[in-house]
Amino acid sequence: MNWITTRTDRFFEHFWGAMTTPLFYIGDTHLSISAIVKLMFLAIFALIIAKIISEGIKRSLLVRMGLDRGSREAISTIISYILATLGCIIVLQGAGINLTSLTVLAGVVGIGFGFGLQNLASNFISGLTLLFEHQIRVGDFIEIDNLLGTVETISIRSTIIKTIDGLFVIIPNIKFVETNIINWSYRDPRCRLHIPVGVAYGSDPVIVTEALLIAARMESNVLSHPSPKVWFRGFGDNALNFELLVWIDQPQESDAIKSAVNFLIDYEFRHRNIEIPFPQRDLWLRNPKELTQFFHNNKDDNSNGKLFSQNAKHSTELKSNPTVSEPKKSGSKSPSNWTLRDLLRRVTYFEQCTDLELRQLIEYGYRQLFPAEQVVCKEEDPGDSFYIILSGTVEVLSQKADKYIATLHEGEFFGEISLLLGTPRTATVKTREDAILFVVERHDLQKLLIEQPNLADQIAQKLSERQQALRDLGLLDDESLEQTPFLKIRKRIQVLFGI
C-alpha cells in the first residue's frame, strides 16, 4: 500500500514538474505549459467579457439613443474589438510579460501577414473600413455580383448576406472594397423601377398612358410622390414600346412589386381592349407555282369552292370584329365610360389642349377615394388642388351665404379658380356618397404650365370669362366685385406658378 502511494506521489511530482518547467523565455519571464494554459483561459475569459459588455451596450444604451440597426452593430463591434484588445494586454501584463519584449515577435508576425496571410490581412483591414466608413451597414439591402440580399453581419474576415431567397452567403470583406456595390438603402431607400410594356400598333397612346398610371397608383407599395411616369420608348418591330416608371421605398420587395403592377396592367389593358401583340413573321415560299399545282391536283373543284367559301366567311368575320376596336366619340359615351381625356376636355380651361398636353396632365394627377359625407375642401382653406368627379356626387355649400349652391355629378369639376388664382376656397364641398375624384395639385399643374406656357394664356382667358358666374352667386366679396382684366389674371398666374 505504501508502495502504491509512493509511486502516485512521484507521478504527480513529475507531472507538475513537467507542467512548470520553463519552455521558453519572453524577456525576463519564462513560460511553462501551465502558464500558457492559464493565459489561454484568461484570454478567452477577456473575450467573453468584452462580448457581453458590447452586447449590453448595443441592446440598452444604443437602442435608447435611437440609432438604426446598422449603426448599433458597427459601434458594438468596434467596442468589442477594443475591449478584447485591452483585455489581452491586461492578461499579458498580469502574467509579467513585458510587451516591449514582443517587438521581435510582432515583426515576425508582420512578415507572416505580409507573405502567408495576405488575404486575411486584406479582409481584416477591409472589415475595419466597412465598420468605420458606414457606407455599408448591417440591415442594408445591397447588390454585389448580381446577388441581392440584406447585410446580416460584418465581422473581421467576412460579411454575411441573406438573399431574397433566404440563403446566407459569406462574402470576404475585400470584395466590398474591390468591386462596385449597389447599396439600395444608402441615405435614401427610395428607388425607381422600370417596367417595359409593348402594345399593338393602332393603340391610343393617351389611353395607354392612362391605363398604366391607373395600374401604378392602384398598387399600395408604389409611392405617389415622386409620381409615376410613362415614357414612350419608340416604335418596335411588332409593338409600340412604353415604359412605366414607379418609385418605391422598399427595394427588397422590388420583384414582388413589379409582379403586382404587371397583374394590374394586364387587368387595365383587358378592361380597355388594349392588345399586347404577338411577334409577327413573314413566310417566304421559294416554289409557290409548284405548291399551287400540287394542291390543284389533289382537290377537286367542289372542295376548292367550299374551302374558299369558308375562308372568305372567316375573313369577313375577322374584319368585322377587329382586335382593337376604334374608340367611340366622347359625345356618344355615358359618363361612366368617359376616359380621363374626355373628362379633362370638359374642363373649360383644357378644352383646346392637344392630346399630348392632356397626356401630361393625366400623368401628373392621381385618383382618390372619398367616403360618403366627407369634406373634400372647406371654405376659406388654401386652394392647393382642383378635382374632377369620376364617380359619385358632391354638394357645394356656402357657409358665408348660409345656403346650398349646387350638386355636382360624374364628369363635373370644382376647385380650379382658387388653385389658379391662389385665393382661398369660396365654398365648402363634401361628398353625398362614396366618390372617386381625380386630383391635380398645385406643384403638378405648375410642371404642366412650365412645359406648356401657352396654356397659361388660355386659362387666363377662361378665368376672366367665368368670374361673372361667381359674382352672380354671391361668392365673391365686395373687394373682388371689380372685373379682373385678362392681362392681370395672366400676370397673376405667371407669378404664382413661376412661369
Side-chain angles (χ1 to χ4, degrees):
M1 196 70 179
N2 292 332
W3 178 79
I4 295 176
T5 304
T6 302
R7 293 293 297 271
T8 303
D9 292 340
R10 288 180 180 178
F11 171 78
F12 279 108
E13 287 177 3
H14 287 294
F15 176 76
W16 183 248
M19 294 293 291
T20 56
T21 300
L23 297 178
F24 55 88
Y25 286 83
I26 298 180
D28 297 331
T29 305
H30 70 273
L31 292 179
S32 60
I33 295 178
S34 61
I36 294 173
V37 172
K38 181 180 178 181
L39 287 176
M40 291 177 59
F41 275 107
L42 290 176
I44 293 173
F45 180 74
L47 295 176
I48 294 174
I49 294 298
K51 185 67 175 177
I52 292 174
I53 293 175
S54 63
E55 285 292 327
I57 292 175
K58 179 179 70 174
R59 298 180 184 277
S60 57
L61 179 61
L62 299 182
V63 171
R64 287 199 297 268
M65 291 175 64
L67 298 177
D68 58 85
R69 180 188 174 190
S71 298
R72 294 198 304 268
E73 291 288 344
I75 293 173
S76 65
T77 302
I78 293 171
I79 290 175
S80 176
Y81 291 164
I82 293 173
L83 292 177
T85 303
L86 291 176
C88 291
I89 292 174
I90 292 172
V91 168
L92 291 175
Q93 289 184 341
I97 299 175
N98 187 359
L99 296 181
T100 58
S101 61
L102 297 178
T103 306
V104 177
L105 178 61
V108 174
V109 174
I111 295 173
F113 267 73
F115 288 98
L117 303 175
Q118 294 183 35
N119 290 335
L120 181 59
S122 299
N123 289 323
F124 175 76
I125 296 173
S126 300
L128 292 179
T129 302
L130 294 177
L131 290 171
F132 279 102
E133 285 189 350
H134 277 200
Q135 293 179 350
I136 298 175
R137 300 181 296 180
V138 173
D140 285 355
F141 186 73
I142 66 172
E143 180 177 352
I144 175 173
D145 292 338
N146 297 323
L147 183 69
L148 288 167
T150 304
V151 179
E152 292 292 321
T153 305
I154 300 177
S155 61
I156 294 178
R157 190 194 69 83
S158 62
T159 297
I160 298 178
I161 306 296
K162 183 180 181 181
T163 68
I164 55 179
D165 295 324
L167 303 176
F168 290 89
V169 181
I170 301 173
I171 302 175
N173 289 331
I174 192 63
K175 276 279 191 179
F176 293 90
V177 179
E178 294 180 342
T179 59
N180 295 327
I181 308 297
I182 299 176
N183 190 345
W184 299 90
S185 305
Y186 187 67
R187 294 186 178 178
D188 189 354
R190 293 184 301 175
C191 60
R192 189 166 68 177
L193 301 181
H194 295 248
I195 304 176
V197 180
V199 300
Y201 276 92
S203 302
D204 191 332
V206 178
I207 302 299
V208 174
T209 299
E210 179 182 343
L212 291 175
L213 292 174
I214 290 174
R217 293 186 174 109
M218 287 175 64
E219 171 54 38
S220 59
N221 290 313
V222 171
L223 301 180
S224 56
H225 298 287
S227 59
K229 300 290 181 185
V230 175
W231 288 353
F232 193 164
R233 280 297 187 182
F235 302 89
D237 294 336
N238 309 304
L240 303 175
N241 296 323
F242 290 83
E243 192 168 63
L244 174 63
L245 292 84
V246 297
W247 287 87
I248 62 174
D249 57 4
Q250 302 177 48
Q252 64 275 15
E253 300 294 334
S254 58
D255 288 343
I257 295 174
K258 278 185 179 180
S259 175
V261 173
N262 282 329
F263 276 115
L264 294 170
I265 290 174
D266 179 72
Y267 172 80
E268 292 297 327
F269 278 10
R270 291 175 183 272
H271 181 66
R272 289 169 172 76
N273 293 325
I274 300 174
E275 181 186 2
I276 299 177
F278 292 101
Q280 300 176 7
R281 297 290 183 269
D282 292 334
L283 179 63
W284 291 82
L285 300 178
R286 303 184 64 177
N287 52 347
K289 293 182 180 180
E290 289 82 354
L291 290 174
T292 303
Q293 184 177 2
F294 173 78
F295 282 112
H296 276 294
N297 293 334
N298 287 276
K299 293 182 180 291
D300 56 19
D301 293 337
N302 291 334
S303 62
N304 284 336
K306 183 178 180 181
L307 179 62
F308 175 80
S309 176
Q310 290 176 346
N311 289 337
K313 181 180 178 182
H314 181 61
S315 175
T316 303
E317 290 176 351
L318 288 177
K319 290 182 179 179
S320 63
N321 295 284
T323 305
V324 182
S325 59
E326 296 183 359
K328 298 179 181 179
K329 296 182 179 179
S330 59
S332 62
K333 293 181 179 180
S334 63
S336 59
N337 293 327
W338 282 337
T339 65
L340 278 174
R341 178 175 56 184
D342 300 328
L343 293 172
L344 287 170
R345 281 244 162 80
R346 290 174 55 86
V347 179
T348 312
Y349 316 103
F350 307 123
E351 289 176 344
Q352 305 302 320
C353 286
T354 65
D355 283 355
L356 295 177
E357 293 170 341
L358 292 179
R359 192 200 72 84
Q360 289 179 317
L361 187 58
I362 290 171
E363 192 173 50
Y364 291 139
Y366 61 92
R367 298 176 183 233
Q368 185 173 352
L369 172 65
F370 290 86
E373 302 301 324
Q374 179 175 337
V375 174
V376 179
C377 57
K378 291 183 179 180
E379 191 172 343
E380 301 300 331
D381 280 354
D384 54 4
S385 56
F386 86 91
Y387 306 86
I388 300 175
I389 305 173
L390 301 183
S391 66
T393 56
V394 300
E395 284 185 342
V396 184
L397 308 170
S398 174
Q399 296 177 344
K400 182 186 298 184
D402 192 21
K403 67 177 182 179
Y404 161 84
I405 297 176
T407 298
L408 304 180
H409 304 275
E410 294 179 1
E412 297 183 282
F413 58 94
F414 60 92
E416 77 288 350
I417 293 181
S418 58
L419 170 64
L420 295 170
L421 294 181
T423 58
R425 301 287 189 189
T426 57
T428 297
V429 180
K430 71 174 184 179
T431 57
R432 295 183 61 181
E433 56 185 349
D434 291 350
I436 299 177
L437 307 181
F438 183 74
V439 187
V440 178
E441 296 183 348
R442 178 184 301 277
H443 62 275
D444 293 323
L445 183 60
Q446 182 180 23
K447 296 177 185 176
L448 179 64
L449 293 178
I450 291 175
E451 295 175 358
Q452 307 290 339
N454 294 332
L455 184 59
D457 295 341
Q458 302 175 24
I459 291 175
Q461 182 64 40
K462 295 297 181 180
L463 276 175
S464 61
E465 295 173 359
R466 291 200 63 190
Q467 281 193 329
Q468 187 59 43
L470 290 178
R471 295 189 184 91
D472 296 340
L473 292 172
L475 297 180
L476 294 179
D477 53 26
D478 295 337
E479 297 178 358
S480 303
L481 288 177
E482 183 180 356
Q483 185 175 4
T484 307
F486 162 74
L487 293 177
K488 188 174 181 180
I489 293 178
R490 185 178 66 176
K491 182 65 176 178
R492 185 166 186 173
I493 292 176
Q494 290 174 341
V495 173
L496 186 64
F497 291 95
I499 57 176

